[in-house]
Amino acid sequence: MKKILYPAAALLVMLMAAFTFITTQNWKISSGYSIKFTGKYADGAFESMKGSVIFDEKDPASAKFDVLVDVSSINTGNGLKNRHARGEKWFDVDKYPYIHFVSSEVVKTAAGYDAKGTLDMHGIKKPFTIPFTFTRNGDKGVFQGAFKVNRGDFGITTPRGDESDYTHLTVTVPVTAK
């Protein structure tokens, strides 16, 4: 009887393991997020974003980010600069209203995580990596990242081949569990 019981128990354990599902954490973007930028020609912030965030710090391979930034929400603190940035020579918000990032892979790094994916800006899609950290506090958390974007790669300005081509971004996104 014992000879049959052990293999049956082992089979039961294997079957249960096969149907065990890993749960991922869905997050809702909370108010109080910040998308600040600095560059040679303008400093400011984008004030409107939305998206979906699936992230579990214990299982970064299951993460998925799909975020839209409303380009018309740009605020440099100067009305003339805002109008210029929204115009045809820069972002052309009538034609390209959003900056869109969709991750394809998230990996753990020594400093935090890297979200690798596609950045779609000004009608041009390019592979892009956003380094970030995540701090959890119960059912809340905060994503933070700092990186730079070469505007010339996306057809926004004529590239000069120096640091003035880049805009530096600092992003802070508080989230709550769904």
Side-chain angles (χ1 to χ4, degrees), residues 127-141:
F128 199 79
T129 299
I130 298 176
F132 69 93
T133 60
F134 178 73
T135 306
R136 180 191 287 263
N137 186 7
D139 67 345
K140 296 181 181 182

Side-chain angles (χ1 to χ4, degrees), residues 31-175:
S31 61
Y33 55 80
S34 169
I35 308 165
K36 296 180 181 178
F37 62 87
T38 60
K40 182 173 181 179
Y41 303 106
D43 300 334
F46 290 98
E47 297 180 340
S48 179
M49 72 175 287
K50 61 185 175 182
S52 63
V53 177
I54 299 170
F55 181 76
D56 180 350
E57 62 267 41
K58 295 175 188 139
D59 184 20
S62 68
K64 184 75 175 169
F65 295 89
D66 187 342
V67 180
L68 288 166
V69 175
D70 182 351
V71 178
S72 67
S73 74
I74 194 169
N75 185 355
T76 65
N78 178 311
L80 184 58
K81 277 187 180 181
N82 292 346
R83 195 168 32 251
H84 183 70
R86 291 181 190 120
E88 289 179 15
K89 290 187 177 184
W90 286 84
F91 282 108
D92 196 0
V93 297
D94 290 337
K95 204 172 189 180
Y96 311 108
Y98 295 102
I99 297 169
H100 189 196
F101 178 77
V102 178
S103 67
S104 56
E105 176 185 24
V106 176
V107 295
K108 179 85 172 114
T109 67
Y113 303 89
D114 279 349
K116 300 175 182 185
T118 301
L119 181 62
D120 182 352
M121 183 166 53
H122 200 249
I124 297 173
K125 294 180 181 181
K126 294 220 172 243
F128 199 79
T129 299
I130 298 176
F132 69 93
T133 60
F134 178 73
T135 306
R136 180 191 287 263
N137 186 7
D139 67 345
K140 296 181 181 182
V142 177
F143 292 93
Q144 293 182 306
F147 54 95
K148 62 184 182 177
V149 176
N150 185 332
R151 296 183 326 274
D153 286 349
F154 294 92
I156 302 171
T157 197
T158 303
R160 296 177 185 204
D162 61 18
E163 190 61 26
S164 70
D165 291 345
Y166 291 90
T167 297
H168 297 263
L169 288 104
T170 305
V171 179
T172 303
V173 181
V175 292

